[in-house]
Amino acid sequence: METKQDKISADTIIAGFDFQYYYYLKCVMEMKENEQVGFEVRDDVHIEKANGEQILIQSKHTVQTNTKGEMINLTNKDVDLWKTISNWIEIVNDENDGRESLDKQLEYIEKTKFILISNKSMPEYKGILDMFSKVSLEEIEIVELKKYISNLIGDGEKKTETNLRIKRFLEQSDSWCKRFVSKLEFELEKTDIIGAIKGAIKEKLVPEQRINHVFRCIDSAMRERNFKNVLGRKKIVISWADFYDNFTKYFEMARSRALPVLKPIEKVDLKGDEKSYTFVRQLLDIQELHHSDATYDEDLIDYFTKKNYANLQIQNWIQDSEITSEEKQEMDQKSIAIWKNGFHKHYADVRREVRAKSFEELDGSKIDKIASNLYHEILSEKLEFKDTKLDLELSNGHFYILSDIPNIGWRYNWEELYKGDTL
């Protein structure tokens, strides 16, 4: 049996919110010119049509399953069903919005479509849903529907919240109920809304391998936009023109030959022993990092963030079939070639010196200075790969990855120091 705590658990609440948010994003993706879509304004989601009509959408998500592991059915006395209808009755009959009279209420219903979306399953015996449909198709009269609904309550039943909501519907006039039911729609078994969003992206002529990238970009940008609106106490409403102006760039980038690039990731948290990473030990050894530095932790966070950003970007390219593993190796080799040219240039004098004496006899401070100069020169390089110019964050991150393997180093004897190092 589901406990009270289960009903209010964080994962249940988050799943319900994400379900609503992604349906909102789906509506935004399918929006037509001169339309607007709102989130938590007139309803869970609403759509303003170009002709002045509107669609009010309530989303209801469940994590409950039946004995077969399937999502539970929407039943005749479903709590979500009658709570939604009760909410819509309050909206339609809102006196504070000037709808005291029946005429005003019918006028509002006439310009409105009411849609309940849910991941609940369609019942084999449709019951109340079938009765609503028959009224809409004028196969039965509204009095037959009201009689059917009255029987759901029963004479001796308690005054439960659901029963009170059912009675609220029955209290409406026949003309009100008939008009309302004719504008009522149900979209059940909505289990793959993200798939529907990606389908809408594909319809905008985005190449298959870039659909996931466009989805991630739009999702991230929309969440940031919504968050800023909430902080600024603005309503979350977006027009077709706003979407066109602010989101077209993601579709255009997807159609270009250049590789899609993620937004820089948030700064990472430092976890574990940083000295277990070869690229960090290399920086410590050439004095680019030192524990006594006031900015030691800040610098570490910056290095790890860039490294993780580059690693995530490369993995996304491979996952989305933007590049192959062979092309990733080609990218590594190009970066190594840039490093190698710099290495040979900076250590040209040292190479001549070690022909005559051992490396240990050389001036250590001079070697550290050369290593530092090499490091800074390499990190000033902006890499280019497959018609794509990478920014400094990505370029730096890629060099950190290579120095962590390690395939490159900063000191003259880096291979001796770090190759095969298992720390």
Side-chain angles (χ1 to χ4, degrees), residues 130 133-141 144:
D130 192 42
S133 177
K134 287 180 177 179
V135 170
S136 297
L137 297 171
E138 298 185 345
E139 294 178 1
I140 63 172
E141 296 295 328
E144 293 180 64

Side-chain angles (χ1 to χ4, degrees), residues 159-184:
K159 290 184 178 180
T160 64
E161 191 67 36
T162 297
N163 284 345
L164 292 174
R165 287 167 177 159
I166 291 174
K167 287 181 178 178
R168 192 170 300 145
F169 174 79
L170 294 173
E171 288 167 359
Q172 308 307 309
S173 69
D174 288 356
S175 59
W176 192 105
C177 291
K178 182 177 181 180
R179 192 75 63 87
F180 174 77
V181 170
S182 70
K183 306 301 290 290
L184 195 56

Side-chain angles (χ1 to χ4, degrees), residues 125-329:
Y125 169 67
K126 296 181 181 179
I128 187 66
L129 301 184
D130 192 42
M131 294 297 288
F132 283 144
S133 177
K134 287 180 177 179
V135 170
S136 297
L137 297 171
E138 298 185 345
E139 294 178 1
I140 63 172
E141 296 295 328
I142 194 66
V143 291
E144 293 180 64
L145 173 64
K146 282 191 167 184
K147 182 179 179 181
Y148 179 89
I149 294 174
S150 296
N151 290 334
L152 297 178
I153 299 176
D155 296 330
E157 281 207 36
K158 299 177 182 178
K159 290 184 178 180
T160 64
E161 191 67 36
T162 297
N163 284 345
L164 292 174
R165 287 167 177 159
I166 291 174
K167 287 181 178 178
R168 192 170 300 145
F169 174 79
L170 294 173
E171 288 167 359
Q172 308 307 309
S173 69
D174 288 356
S175 59
W176 192 105
C177 291
K178 182 177 181 180
R179 192 75 63 87
F180 174 77
V181 170
S182 70
K183 306 301 290 290
L184 195 56
E185 292 185 12
F186 299 91
E187 295 184 12
L188 303 182
E189 302 181 354
K190 294 293 181 182
T191 56
D192 189 19
I193 296 177
I194 291 177
I197 296 170
K198 291 181 179 180
I201 292 172
K202 185 176 182 179
E203 288 178 358
K204 297 185 186 296
L205 306 181
V206 171
E208 189 78 38
Q209 73 273 20
R210 299 203 169 175
I211 290 173
N212 285 336
H213 176 77
V214 174
F215 170 75
R216 287 191 291 263
C217 289
I218 291 175
D219 183 26
S220 175
M222 186 63 75
R223 287 182 183 274
E224 182 178 335
R225 182 183 188 276
N226 291 353
F227 183 67
K228 287 180 178 178
N229 279 352
V230 171
L231 290 182
R233 298 184 178 276
K234 297 178 182 178
K235 293 179 179 179
I236 300 178
V237 177
I238 186 167
S239 67
W240 181 89
D242 288 339
F243 186 70
Y244 181 85
D245 290 342
N246 294 290
F247 290 82
T248 297
K249 58 187 176 184
Y250 300 116
F251 298 101
E252 290 179 341
M253 286 189 292
R255 299 186 196 105
S256 72
R257 293 183 61 190
L259 292 169
V261 177
L262 294 171
K263 290 174 61 178
I265 62 174
E266 295 181 2
K267 291 183 178 180
V268 300
D269 293 327
L270 292 179
K271 295 179 181 178
D273 180 13
E274 66 271 13
K275 292 181 183 178
S276 64
Y277 293 88
T278 301
F279 88 101
V280 173
R281 291 201 303 280
Q282 292 212 52
L283 295 177
L284 287 167
D285 288 349
I286 65 171
Q287 301 292 307
E288 278 300 318
L289 262 178
H290 197 278
H291 295 93
S292 64
D293 294 341
T295 60
Y296 178 75
D297 286 343
E298 183 181 334
D299 290 339
L300 271 179
I301 289 172
D302 181 61
Y303 301 150
F304 274 100
T305 298
K306 289 174 179 176
K307 178 175 175 288
N308 288 5
Y309 174 39
N311 187 59
L312 178 63
Q313 180 65 85
I314 292 168
Q315 292 306 313
N316 278 335
W317 284 337
I318 294 173
Q319 180 182 322
D320 295 343
S321 301
E322 291 288 349
I323 65 172
T324 63
S325 296
E326 291 75 16
E327 287 174 321
K328 190 264 182 187
Q329 291 175 7

